[in-house]
Amino acid sequence: MEDLKKLEDHKFDDLRAKLELEIENLDKYVKPAALAIEELEKVEPLDEEKIGGFMAEIKLLESEIKEREAKIDLIDKEVKLRLEVREMIDNALKDLDFEEEETHKKWDRESKEEVEYKEPIINQFLHNLEFCDHIELKEELRVEGVLQLDDEGLPIEIVKEVKHIPWNKEAVLKELKLKLDLDKANLLVRRVKDYKHNKKKSGIENRLKPLIVNNVYFHRVFGPQIELIKGQKHEIPHKHWIEKNWDKDDLIDFEAKVLKLEEAKAKSLEKEKKEKPLKDRKLEYKKIDDLLFEALVEKHEEGRPEKMVEYLKLRKEIKDKHPLED
């Protein structure tokens, strides 16, 4: 019997029908013969020597029937297994997005600048797993502007570029189901999932870096982290604490922590923004403090108000330049 694993789907029905027909033909002889012997034994004892060979032949045919029934059972199990594997392949790729895009950059020779373009995330993985078509773009070979010909006088063509055309989801599913390759289906899903996970993790880590240059925002959100070492309290540097205690692969929790730091920074910047006009005004005031002292002396001791007028004028200019919010 053929190896069922290598048998094409459409051949199962024919093979099953063939085995069932063989069983039917064997039954046409075995069942009447066995029934006839049984009826004769009811009438008179049969000669064991004569009947022995006949019974052996019947048992042989019965074993052949059982053998064919076992083969049919194997066919049914193989068909069932293939249906189950194909269903698992469907489920594996069910939520895999073939349309989700990401932005890349490349150098454009014509415009001589970097340009952005979008491409589905999955394309690189389809190419690596050979789920794509390859199209060769050729051009005529010229040497110093002269067209090169082959021995038959025809233009020699060289491959200028090989384009990789990724398959769509239906084509990928068809290939995987045809080869019953559940492992490859799971590998494709895992590679895309790992890539997206690592890309998001990297993005969150990049958001974290400027927030932990010092411990200001970390302390505002999480407070100083203290550990007992030999019975004494020691503050753990915030960067060491993060590396040791934060699970960066738990993206939901990791991003939530970074978001808290970003909110702390936003509040701090908002506070600085509100306080900046007053600070700037006070800095400008300090630049004319000496003039104020001279103006007070001249006005009260010498009766000359000119410098006070000049000071008040400068002070008004500073107030106009650095207005405060109501």
Short mmCIF file of all heavy atoms in Angstrom, two decimals, residues 254-290:
data_model
loop_
_atom_site.label_atom_id
_atom_site.label_comp_id
_atom_site.label_asym_id
_atom_site.label_seq_id
_atom_site.Cartn_x
_atom_site.Cartn_y
_atom_site.Cartn_z
N PHE A 254 5.30 47.95 31.24
CA PHE A 254 6.47 48.79 30.93
C PHE A 254 6.03 50.15 30.41
O PHE A 254 6.50 51.20 30.86
CB PHE A 254 7.35 48.06 29.91
CG PHE A 254 8.62 48.77 29.55
CD1 PHE A 254 9.25 49.65 30.44
CD2 PHE A 254 9.21 48.56 28.31
CE1 PHE A 254 10.43 50.29 30.09
CE2 PHE A 254 10.38 49.20 27.95
CZ PHE A 254 10.99 50.07 28.85
N GLU A 255 5.10 50.15 29.46
CA GLU A 255 4.66 51.43 28.88
C GLU A 255 3.89 52.25 29.91
O GLU A 255 3.99 53.49 29.92
CB GLU A 255 3.80 51.18 27.65
CG GLU A 255 3.42 52.45 26.91
CD GLU A 255 2.81 52.19 25.55
OE1 GLU A 255 2.17 51.15 25.38
OE2 GLU A 255 2.96 53.06 24.66
N ALA A 256 3.14 51.58 30.79
CA ALA A 256 2.39 52.30 31.83
C ALA A 256 3.36 53.05 32.77
O ALA A 256 3.10 54.19 33.16
CB ALA A 256 1.53 51.33 32.63
N LYS A 257 4.48 52.41 33.12
CA LYS A 257 5.48 53.06 33.99
C LYS A 257 6.11 54.26 33.29
O LYS A 257 6.28 55.33 33.88
CB LYS A 257 6.56 52.04 34.39
CG LYS A 257 6.11 51.01 35.43
CD LYS A 257 7.28 50.13 35.82
CE LYS A 257 6.96 49.24 37.02
NZ LYS A 257 6.06 48.15 36.69
N VAL A 258 6.46 54.07 32.00
CA VAL A 258 7.08 55.16 31.24
C VAL A 258 6.09 56.32 31.08
O VAL A 258 6.47 57.50 31.15
CB VAL A 258 7.56 54.65 29.86
CG1 VAL A 258 8.02 55.81 28.98
CG2 VAL A 258 8.69 53.64 30.05
N LEU A 259 4.83 55.98 30.88
CA LEU A 259 3.80 57.02 30.75
C LEU A 259 3.70 57.87 32.02
O LEU A 259 3.54 59.09 31.95
CB LEU A 259 2.45 56.38 30.43
CG LEU A 259 1.28 57.33 30.14
CD1 LEU A 259 1.61 58.23 28.96
CD2 LEU A 259 0.01 56.55 29.87
N LYS A 260 3.83 57.23 33.18
CA LYS A 260 3.81 57.98 34.45
C LYS A 260 4.98 58.95 34.52
O LYS A 260 4.83 60.09 34.99
CB LYS A 260 3.86 57.00 35.63
CG LYS A 260 2.56 56.24 35.85
CD LYS A 260 2.69 55.29 37.04
CE LYS A 260 1.39 54.53 37.27
NZ LYS A 260 1.50 53.58 38.42
N LEU A 261 6.15 58.52 34.06
CA LEU A 261 7.32 59.40 34.04
C LEU A 261 7.11 60.55 33.06
O LEU A 261 7.49 61.70 33.34
CB LEU A 261 8.57 58.61 33.66
CG LEU A 261 9.04 57.54 34.65
CD1 LEU A 261 10.21 56.75 34.07
CD2 LEU A 261 9.44 58.16 35.98
N GLU A 262 6.50 60.25 31.91
CA GLU A 262 6.22 61.31 30.92
C GLU A 262 5.24 62.33 31.48
O GLU A 262 5.38 63.55 31.24
CB GLU A 262 5.68 60.69 29.64
CG GLU A 262 6.73 59.92 28.85
CD GLU A 262 6.17 59.20 27.64
OE1 GLU A 262 4.97 58.86 27.65
OE2 GLU A 262 6.92 58.96 26.68
N GLU A 263 4.25 61.85 32.22
CA GLU A 263 3.28 62.77 32.84
C GLU A 263 3.96 63.64 33.89
O GLU A 263 3.66 64.84 34.01
CB GLU A 263 2.14 61.97 33.47
CG GLU A 263 1.23 61.32 32.44
CD GLU A 263 0.23 60.36 33.05
OE1 GLU A 263 0.38 60.05 34.27
OE2 GLU A 263 -0.69 59.90 32.34
N ALA A 264 4.89 63.04 34.66
CA ALA A 264 5.63 63.82 35.66
C ALA A 264 6.47 64.89 34.99
O ALA A 264 6.54 66.03 35.47
CB ALA A 264 6.51 62.89 36.49
N LYS A 265 7.10 64.54 33.86
CA LYS A 265 7.89 65.52 33.13
C LYS A 265 7.00 66.63 32.56
O LYS A 265 7.36 67.82 32.63
CB LYS A 265 8.65 64.83 31.99
CG LYS A 265 9.50 65.79 31.17
CD LYS A 265 10.23 65.07 30.05
CE LYS A 265 11.07 66.06 29.24
NZ LYS A 265 11.78 65.38 28.13
N ALA A 266 5.85 66.26 32.02
CA ALA A 266 4.93 67.26 31.45
C ALA A 266 4.47 68.25 32.52
O ALA A 266 4.41 69.47 32.27
CB ALA A 266 3.74 66.56 30.82
N LYS A 267 4.15 67.73 33.72
CA LYS A 267 3.73 68.62 34.81
C LYS A 267 4.87 69.54 35.22
O LYS A 267 4.65 70.72 35.52
CB LYS A 267 3.27 67.78 36.01
CG LYS A 267 1.94 67.08 35.79
CD LYS A 267 1.55 66.26 37.00
CE LYS A 267 0.22 65.54 36.78
NZ LYS A 267 -0.14 64.67 37.92
N SER A 268 6.08 69.00 35.27
CA SER A 268 7.24 69.80 35.64
C SER A 268 7.49 70.91 34.62
O SER A 268 7.75 72.06 34.99
CB SER A 268 8.48 68.90 35.75
OG SER A 268 9.62 69.65 36.06
N LEU A 269 7.38 70.55 33.33
CA LEU A 269 7.59 71.55 32.28
C LEU A 269 6.49 72.61 32.31
O LEU A 269 6.76 73.80 32.06
CB LEU A 269 7.63 70.86 30.92
CG LEU A 269 8.84 69.96 30.66
CD1 LEU A 269 8.71 69.28 29.30
CD2 LEU A 269 10.13 70.76 30.72
N GLU A 270 5.26 72.19 32.61
CA GLU A 270 4.16 73.14 32.71
C GLU A 270 4.39 74.12 33.85
O GLU A 270 4.15 75.33 33.71
CB GLU A 270 2.85 72.38 32.90
CG GLU A 270 1.61 73.27 32.93
CD GLU A 270 1.35 73.98 31.62
OE1 GLU A 270 1.79 73.50 30.57
OE2 GLU A 270 0.70 75.06 31.67
N LYS A 271 4.87 73.58 34.97
CA LYS A 271 5.17 74.44 36.11
C LYS A 271 6.29 75.41 35.78
O LYS A 271 6.21 76.61 36.10
CB LYS A 271 5.57 73.58 37.31
CG LYS A 271 5.84 74.38 38.58
CD LYS A 271 6.24 73.44 39.72
CE LYS A 271 6.56 74.26 40.98
NZ LYS A 271 7.02 73.39 42.08
N GLU A 272 7.34 74.92 35.13
CA GLU A 272 8.45 75.79 34.73
C GLU A 272 7.98 76.87 33.77
O GLU A 272 8.44 78.02 33.84
CB GLU A 272 9.55 74.95 34.09
CG GLU A 272 10.31 74.06 35.06
CD GLU A 272 11.34 73.21 34.36
OE1 GLU A 272 11.58 73.44 33.15
OE2 GLU A 272 11.90 72.30 35.00
N LYS A 273 7.07 76.48 32.86
CA LYS A 273 6.56 77.44 31.89
C LYS A 273 5.81 78.58 32.58
O LYS A 273 5.94 79.75 32.21
CB LYS A 273 5.64 76.72 30.91
CG LYS A 273 5.07 77.61 29.82
CD LYS A 273 4.16 76.81 28.89
CE LYS A 273 3.52 77.71 27.84
NZ LYS A 273 2.59 76.96 26.97
N LYS A 274 5.02 78.22 33.60
CA LYS A 274 4.27 79.23 34.33
C LYS A 274 5.18 80.13 35.16
O LYS A 274 4.93 81.34 35.31
CB LYS A 274 3.24 78.56 35.24
CG LYS A 274 2.08 77.92 34.50
CD LYS A 274 1.08 77.31 35.46
CE LYS A 274 -0.10 76.70 34.71
NZ LYS A 274 -1.08 76.07 35.63
N GLU A 275 6.25 79.53 35.71
CA GLU A 275 7.15 80.29 36.58
C GLU A 275 8.21 81.07 35.82
O GLU A 275 8.81 81.99 36.37
CB GLU A 275 7.84 79.33 37.56
CG GLU A 275 6.88 78.68 38.56
CD GLU A 275 7.57 77.66 39.43
OE1 GLU A 275 8.75 77.33 39.12
OE2 GLU A 275 6.96 77.19 40.41
N LYS A 276 8.42 80.72 34.56
CA LYS A 276 9.50 81.32 33.78
C LYS A 276 9.37 82.84 33.63
O LYS A 276 10.36 83.58 33.81
CB LYS A 276 9.58 80.68 32.40
CG LYS A 276 10.79 81.10 31.58
CD LYS A 276 10.85 80.33 30.28
CE LYS A 276 12.13 80.65 29.52
NZ LYS A 276 12.32 82.07 29.20
N PRO A 277 8.19 83.41 33.31
CA PRO A 277 8.11 84.87 33.17
C PRO A 277 8.54 85.61 34.43
O PRO A 277 9.25 86.62 34.34
CB PRO A 277 6.62 85.10 32.87
CG PRO A 277 6.16 83.83 32.25
CD PRO A 277 6.92 82.75 32.95
N LEU A 278 8.13 85.10 35.58
CA LEU A 278 8.51 85.75 36.83
C LEU A 278 10.01 85.63 37.07
O LEU A 278 10.67 86.60 37.49
CB LEU A 278 7.73 85.15 38.00
CG LEU A 278 8.02 85.75 39.39
CD1 LEU A 278 7.74 87.25 39.39
CD2 LEU A 278 7.21 85.04 40.46
N LYS A 279 10.57 84.46 36.80
CA LYS A 279 12.02 84.27 36.97
C LYS A 279 12.80 85.17 36.02
O LYS A 279 13.80 85.79 36.41
CB LYS A 279 12.39 82.81 36.72
CG LYS A 279 11.98 81.86 37.82
CD LYS A 279 12.42 80.44 37.51
CE LYS A 279 12.03 79.48 38.64
NZ LYS A 279 12.46 78.08 38.35
N ASP A 280 12.32 85.22 34.75
CA ASP A 280 12.99 86.08 33.78
C ASP A 280 12.91 87.54 34.20
O ASP A 280 13.89 88.30 34.06
CB ASP A 280 12.36 85.91 32.40
CG ASP A 280 12.65 84.53 31.81
OD1 ASP A 280 13.57 83.87 32.30
OD2 ASP A 280 11.95 84.14 30.85
N ARG A 281 11.75 87.96 34.72
CA ARG A 281 11.58 89.34 35.17
C ARG A 281 12.53 89.66 36.33
O ARG A 281 13.19 90.71 36.34
CB ARG A 281 10.14 89.61 35.58
CG ARG A 281 9.88 91.04 36.02
CD ARG A 281 8.46 91.24 36.49
NE ARG A 281 7.50 91.25 35.40
CZ ARG A 281 6.22 91.58 35.56
NH1 ARG A 281 5.75 91.87 36.76
NH2 ARG A 281 5.40 91.60 34.53
N LYS A 282 12.62 88.71 37.27
CA LYS A 282 13.49 88.93 38.43
C LYS A 282 14.96 89.01 38.01
O LYS A 282 15.73 89.80 38.57
CB LYS A 282 13.29 87.82 39.45
CG LYS A 282 11.98 87.91 40.20
CD LYS A 282 11.85 86.78 41.22
CE LYS A 282 10.56 86.92 42.03
NZ LYS A 282 10.42 85.83 43.03
N LEU A 283 15.35 88.19 37.03
CA LEU A 283 16.73 88.26 36.54
C LEU A 283 17.03 89.61 35.91
O LEU A 283 18.12 90.17 36.08
CB LEU A 283 16.97 87.14 35.51
CG LEU A 283 17.11 85.72 36.06
CD1 LEU A 283 17.16 84.71 34.92
CD2 LEU A 283 18.36 85.59 36.92
N GLU A 284 16.06 90.13 35.16
CA GLU A 284 16.24 91.43 34.54
C GLU A 284 16.28 92.54 35.59
O GLU A 284 17.04 93.51 35.46
CB GLU A 284 15.12 91.69 33.52
CG GLU A 284 15.15 90.81 32.29
CD GLU A 284 16.38 91.03 31.44
OE1 GLU A 284 16.78 92.21 31.27
OE2 GLU A 284 16.97 90.05 30.99
N TYR A 285 15.46 92.40 36.65
CA TYR A 285 15.50 93.38 37.74
C TYR A 285 16.88 93.46 38.37
O TYR A 285 17.38 94.54 38.72
CB TYR A 285 14.48 93.01 38.82
CG TYR A 285 13.04 93.35 38.49
CD1 TYR A 285 11.98 92.77 39.18
CD2 TYR A 285 12.73 94.28 37.49
CE1 TYR A 285 10.66 93.07 38.88
CE2 TYR A 285 11.41 94.58 37.18
CZ TYR A 285 10.39 93.98 37.88
OH TYR A 285 9.08 94.30 37.60
N LYS A 286 17.53 92.31 38.54
CA LYS A 286 18.84 92.27 39.18
C LYS A 286 19.87 93.07 38.39
O LYS A 286 20.82 93.63 38.95
CB LYS A 286 19.32 90.83 39.33
CG LYS A 286 18.59 90.06 40.42
CD LYS A 286 19.15 88.66 40.57
CE LYS A 286 18.43 87.90 41.69
NZ LYS A 286 18.98 86.52 41.86
N LYS A 287 19.66 93.13 37.06
CA LYS A 287 20.61 93.86 36.22
C LYS A 287 20.55 95.37 36.45
O LYS A 287 21.48 96.08 36.09
CB LYS A 287 20.33 93.55 34.74
CG LYS A 287 20.61 92.10 34.36
CD LYS A 287 20.27 91.85 32.91
CE LYS A 287 20.48 90.38 32.53
NZ LYS A 287 20.14 90.11 31.12
N ILE A 288 19.41 95.87 37.01
CA ILE A 288 19.30 97.32 37.25
C ILE A 288 19.25 97.65 38.74
O ILE A 288 18.87 98.76 39.13
CB ILE A 288 18.06 97.88 36.53
CG1 ILE A 288 16.77 97.23 37.06
CG2 ILE A 288 18.17 97.70 35.03
CD1 ILE A 288 15.50 97.87 36.52
N ASP A 289 19.59 96.64 39.58
CA ASP A 289 19.60 96.89 41.03
C ASP A 289 20.54 98.02 41.41
O ASP A 289 20.21 98.88 42.26
CB ASP A 289 20.01 95.61 41.79
CG ASP A 289 18.83 94.66 41.92
OD1 ASP A 289 17.70 95.08 41.62
OD2 ASP A 289 19.06 93.49 42.31
N ASP A 290 21.74 98.08 40.79
CA ASP A 290 22.71 99.14 41.12
C ASP A 290 22.14 100.51 40.82
O ASP A 290 22.36 101.47 41.58
CB ASP A 290 24.01 98.94 40.34
CG ASP A 290 24.76 97.71 40.81
OD1 ASP A 290 24.45 97.22 41.92
OD2 ASP A 290 25.64 97.22 40.07
#
